[in-house]
Amino acid sequence: MAITINTSVWDSAENWDNAYDNNVYCPPFPADSGHVGDYPFGANTIWSGYANGNISTDSFDDTICPWAYGKDAPFLGGMWWIPNNDGTASLTPSHMNPETVEFSMSDIVDRPAFPAIFGINDDWQFMRPFVQKYREITDNVTDVDTWIDNAGFGRGQGAYTFKPATNFNYNNIACCPRIMYISQVSSSDKTKAQIDALFSGEIGNKFYSFPYSDTEITLDSRTIWQADGNSRTTIDTHYVVGISFDFYVVDSTISNPNYNSNFGFGLVENEPFPPLTDSGSFGDYYKHPFNLLGGGLSSSQSSKITIGGFQFFGMGSSNEQLYSKNDWINSAYRNSNGQYNPQPKLFLGVNGDKWTYYGYAAKQRSIQVQQCAPFWVWNGTTDELIEYTKRVAAFIGFPIITRANDDTINKKSGWDGTGENELLPVFDENGYTTGDYVSGTAAADEPNATWGADVWTKTDYTGTPQPPGDSNIYDDTNTSELNPDYTKRNFKFNKGYLLTDAQVNTLAAKCFELVNGLTTVPDFVQGLFTKLLSGNEPMDAIISLMFFPFNPAKYFVTTPSSANIMFGALDTGISAKEWENTIIELDMGGCSFYPENGDFRDFEPYTACELYLPYLGNVTIDSQLYLGHEITVKYIVDLCTGAVDALIFRDGFRADNVSGNIGEQIAIHGIDQNDKLTAEQRAHVGYKQARNTQIQKTASAALTIAGGAAAIATGGTTAILGGIAAGITGGLKLSDALEGNSVERAKFDLEHIQTPYRTIGKASAATAYRDEQFCRLIIKRPKMLNSYNAANYAHTTGFATLKHDRLGNYTGLVVANNVDLSGFNATAEEKKAISNLLSKGVYL
Amino acid sequence: MTVDFYKTTDAPNVADKTLTDKKSVEHVKPFNPCNIDEPAFLMDYDSTLNSYNYCYVSEFGKYYFVSPPTLETGHKMRVNCTCDVLKTYYNDICNCVGMITRSESVGAPSEIPDSQLPVNPNNVELKTIPFRYKTGNSFRGNIANPFDLDFTTDTPYLLQIRGVEVSE
């Protein structure tokens, strides 16, 4: 793959200086800034940045600009199509006004914006899409044809429909639209109310990200988003600012009146447009959203078009319009006579959280940065401004050089180690810029310190080389790949049924009904029959009953089928969903762990952090590992056992896991049929035996009586009768005591068989169900003593620095050790005295 | 010899001191022998010099701290001086490279642990972030509570039964 980086101005200090000296790239303040004709840093000073370079390649992906690709928000700018003489157009970024983006230094650390300024024919334009004034078009406006003269797009009677999850997902890149809205809209304003209603009040001087769901969002273009192209005298100070991939008609009073054509712009986050293929056919992807001069869409047309997955209503022809590259260029940059419109149309903004590349010709795509600079809103040179610019340059990978007084920052072709005011971007171990920079001799160890003027060709730099002998293959992305086949693990050795609360109660009743019903002959026979066939009784069929605090059926990859619950062959008659998967995954969401202070206090032992995980409790996590990263959690649940494994991700890497149980075991109580049958049988047998014994004893007693009668014939009658009476009395009483009680007891036993119960499973605690049900990051940050005053501390004690650097780069209190005092003529005693003083602290 | 006397309010460890009220005194005589690191000068008594605490001796090319003068006979006064190496070699020191352990101008605590920073050991700020779903590039999306159950329709109970298929 051929990669060329053309830095026609940047490639030499001479060219840069020429541009600098000629003041070519120094834009004045905007007309309405209160500084008309002034320049931010004086009329003849260039105030920062880079000029007129471009980076071209035949394929934009992470193989080019690897040091920047995918970085968060290096750009805050728009893009222009600039017509060229050869009939092509090139793409150039403009800026978006950081005025309306609430910057702070902490923002810059991780999400720097890149304000770019564009210029055409030395006529600098200040596209300030975020602060353009719009006139809201209300329901009272009826003359729709006067709203927008040239732009057929968005005439106010339409609506834009977004389905964020569908429309903003390309190659699994979530590209949610965002909206920028400025709070000048009064609270009583209808539109404000509508907007608030639409977006839950999240709007106001900040971006709002649409919910990333497939919920369709329809915005009424009349009442919310449209600007007025003609009736500028009635423009209200309602600052409604872009929706990603939306197009507005901008009041251009701050632009050259000759360039009064309306133009649309939009903010684009990530990649709403798929990148071009190498064949470069726009028609494959790009669909023209609006018509500027001739052709395309008109106000009388009322259907819709689809752009990048959006549907734009009310401005399309009856059929969906697809446009090729030429269509695009022609309609955007040529008037009805085929001439190029002198005012190129800003059609896309590059704002976002990633670098976004747009192509403009076959096999060539381009990002041009005409100039990037701290913007005038700072209204002067400040330390913050300088630092901001340094960091922007560092994010992009540019070595820069600052002037001695630090009020200007120039691009430098490479680092040569000769100046302490040379700043070199710091790359991370994977070859990405960090926004940090080093200067002076401290930069000597940086890999890019040796790139020199070839810095622009080092687009294949992928990070610090491995040390010799280390043959490991490292995962530069640190992305964990979870087993995608977990849903296929679906054995059916056991049957699983998913029950509702009511079904569990029904089932419980059924269990007792089945067993108790065994006293009737048919059930008894059926029970025996079942037992014979299954080898067990119905209760034996149950393995477990668990309660999960979620609905497992919701997470099955296929819709579960329903069937009657069977205890062996016994049909309970309860229809329940059968399980489809034994392992399911729950997305528990996440958060970003941003540094609070940006210093050592953000780390342990000063800052401690924990994760609260529902059903698992609080776990301590390593703040060093997660700080500055996204933390997300997935629950992997094993339905068989109720076990849960909480996977904790740092960005895409599963860095930690916590195991526990989420399934609540429920003890099932029922009648032990085996024991009951045995007891019944034993009681029946005992009763029969007792009765048989009684009968035998009775018969025996009768025989004894008969023997007594024979004795009467041979003895005295009275004595014999008395003996018989005694014998009967004594014999029958014994018999009654023994045999009669046994029968009664056996009968009693038969009639009072104790029901034998069984318990399956063991109840487990369910207390966590009352606890919080969402994950939560808990951060314990240190507080300073009330007496702490940063300025005083800095002045009297100084902040820990630990930099090997030139002393003159510091002012105020400096404590330095191991200072090389060579190079000037002082006595040894004097140098020793200097060394001692520096080690104790001096004010430079 | 001419000595330029100054007043300064800066602390001795301020390298680039601000010097005011310059008063040049001519015909100053160094005591013999003269150690140029700690010279003593004899000059005519001048009561206005009592409030001067600093001087520059161009002949030596050095700056000096000036001690309170002592009166000498003959309407003379003696001034003892000590070389201020910080001011004398200020530019040279600035060009030196060393390990900067602490500095005022870094402006804020850095990633270098600083045990002297007065962190309150008994007080922490508690911040918590409930998890949400990611929308775009931020976690501001509404999260669907997986544990939000509808007990009338959801099926959170799992009954496992031995999977012996038996026909009646």
Side-chain angles (χ1 to χ4, degrees), chain A residues 314-335:
Chain A
M315 65 242 22
S317 64
S318 57
N319 297 318
E320 187 174 286
Q321 301 283 309
L322 301 178
Y323 288 82
S324 67
K325 176 184 66 176
N326 287 335
D327 291 327
W328 179 281
I329 293 175
N330 287 340
S331 59
Y333 304 107
R334 287 179 175 172
N335 59 25

Side-chain angles (χ1 to χ4, degrees), chain A residues 382-417:
Chain A
T382 64
D383 291 342
E384 184 179 65
L385 176 72
I386 296 297
E387 177 63 17
Y388 167 79
T389 307
K390 290 177 180 177
R391 293 192 61 81
V392 167
F395 255 108
I396 302 172
F398 295 162
I400 61 175
I401 184 168
T402 62
R403 295 294 174 89
N405 59 4
D406 234 17
D407 63 354
T408 56
I409 298 174
N410 292 340
K411 170 266 169 189
K412 189 170 173 55
S413 294
W415 182 85
D416 55 22

Side-chain angles (χ1 to χ4, degrees), chain A residues 201-223:
Chain A
E202 286 280 359
I203 298 170
N205 277 337
K206 58 185 177 180
F207 283 112
Y208 178 78
S209 294
F210 282 63
Y212 186 61
S213 67
D214 218 17
T215 303
E216 189 168 279
I217 301 170
T218 298
L219 306 176
D220 183 349
S221 62
R222 286 181 303 173
T223 55

Side-chain angles (χ1 to χ4, degrees), chain A residues 381-673:
Chain A
T381 303
T382 64
D383 291 342
E384 184 179 65
L385 176 72
I386 296 297
E387 177 63 17
Y388 167 79
T389 307
K390 290 177 180 177
R391 293 192 61 81
V392 167
F395 255 108
I396 302 172
F398 295 162
I400 61 175
I401 184 168
T402 62
R403 295 294 174 89
N405 59 4
D406 234 17
D407 63 354
T408 56
I409 298 174
N410 292 340
K411 170 266 169 189
K412 189 170 173 55
S413 294
W415 182 85
D416 55 22
T418 59
E420 294 296 325
N421 54 343
E422 285 182 288
L423 308 181
L424 203 59
V426 173
F427 293 77
D428 68 11
E429 66 276 13
N430 296 320
Y432 289 85
T433 54
T434 61
D436 293 330
Y437 58 84
V438 289
S439 62
T441 54
D445 295 333
E446 295 299 314
N448 45 343
T450 58
W451 291 355
D454 295 333
V455 61
W456 310 110
T457 66
K458 297 295 184 183
T459 56
D460 56 349
Y461 177 65
T462 56
T464 307
Q466 292 178 213
D470 184 354
S471 60
N472 291 304
I473 299 174
Y474 288 90
D475 177 8
D476 292 336
T477 63
N478 284 333
T479 302
S480 299
E481 293 187 10
L482 303 185
N483 185 357
D485 294 332
Y486 75 97
T487 59
K488 298 176 182 175
R489 186 178 181 276
N490 186 21
F491 62 85
K492 292 291 183 63
F493 195 82
N494 297 332
K495 296 177 73 69
Y497 299 96
L498 297 173
L499 307 177
T500 65
D501 210 49
Q503 284 177 315
V504 170
N505 293 332
T506 305
L507 181 70
K510 204 73 178 178
C511 287
F512 287 92
E513 178 186 316
L514 283 170
V515 180
N516 287 332
L518 291 177
T519 53
T520 64
V521 172
D523 284 348
F524 182 73
V525 173
Q526 187 186 34
L528 290 176
F529 186 65
T530 301
K531 183 179 178 182
L532 288 173
L533 287 176
S534 64
N536 295 92
E537 59 177 295
M539 280 289 287
D540 286 340
I542 300 174
I543 298 174
S544 68
L545 177 63
M546 272 189 288
F547 169 78
F548 289 93
F550 54 88
N551 188 12
K554 182 180 175 183
Y555 300 96
F556 290 159
V557 292
T558 56
T559 305
S561 56
S562 296
N564 279 5
I565 299 173
M566 300 292 292
F567 285 176
L570 275 181
D571 187 347
T572 63
I574 301 172
S575 178
K577 294 174 182 175
E578 294 183 293
W579 66 1
E580 292 294 330
N581 302 104
T582 57
I583 298 175
I584 62 174
E585 177 182 302
L586 305 179
D587 183 356
M588 302 301 293
C591 70
S592 295
F593 188 9
Y594 278 99
E596 172 91 353
N597 302 300
D599 57 51
F600 72 96
R601 290 172 293 174
D602 290 327
F603 298 96
E604 295 175 355
Y606 298 94
T607 293
C609 59
E610 297 179 349
L611 274 182
Y612 166 72
L613 303 171
Y615 300 94
L616 293 172
N618 287 32
V619 294
T620 301
I621 60 174
D622 185 353
S623 61
Q624 271 90 334
L625 182 63
Y626 291 97
L627 188 72
H629 296 272
E630 293 178 354
I631 304 175
T632 54
V633 172
K634 292 182 186 295
Y635 274 15
I636 310 299
V637 180
D638 177 6
L639 294 179
C640 289
T641 63
V644 60
D645 197 12
L647 308 183
I648 305 170
F649 291 82
R650 186 192 87 152
D651 298 331
F653 174 65
R654 187 200 63 73
D656 283 307
N657 72 308
V658 179
S659 298
N661 278 295
I662 196 171
E664 174 198 347
Q665 289 277 357
I666 298 174
I668 303 173
H669 305 287
I671 296 173
D672 190 322
Q673 187 189 351

Side-chain angles (χ1 to χ4, degrees), chain A residues 601 784-799, chain B residues 104 107-109 116-119:
Chain A
R601 290 172 293 174
M784 304 302 292
L785 291 173
N786 291 335
S787 58
Y788 173 66
N789 179 290
N792 291 343
Y793 181 82
H795 188 65
T796 58
T797 308
F799 294 108
Chain B
E104 177 180 355
Q116 296 185 51
L117 198 70
V119 175

Side-chain angles (χ1 to χ4, degrees), chain A residues 697-710 712 719-737:
Chain A
K697 294 290 183 181
T698 303
S700 176
L703 288 173
T704 303
I705 293 170
I712 290 172
I720 292 171
L721 289 175
I724 292 172
I728 292 173
T729 303
L732 287 179
K733 277 187 177 176
L734 181 61
S735 175
D736 286 343

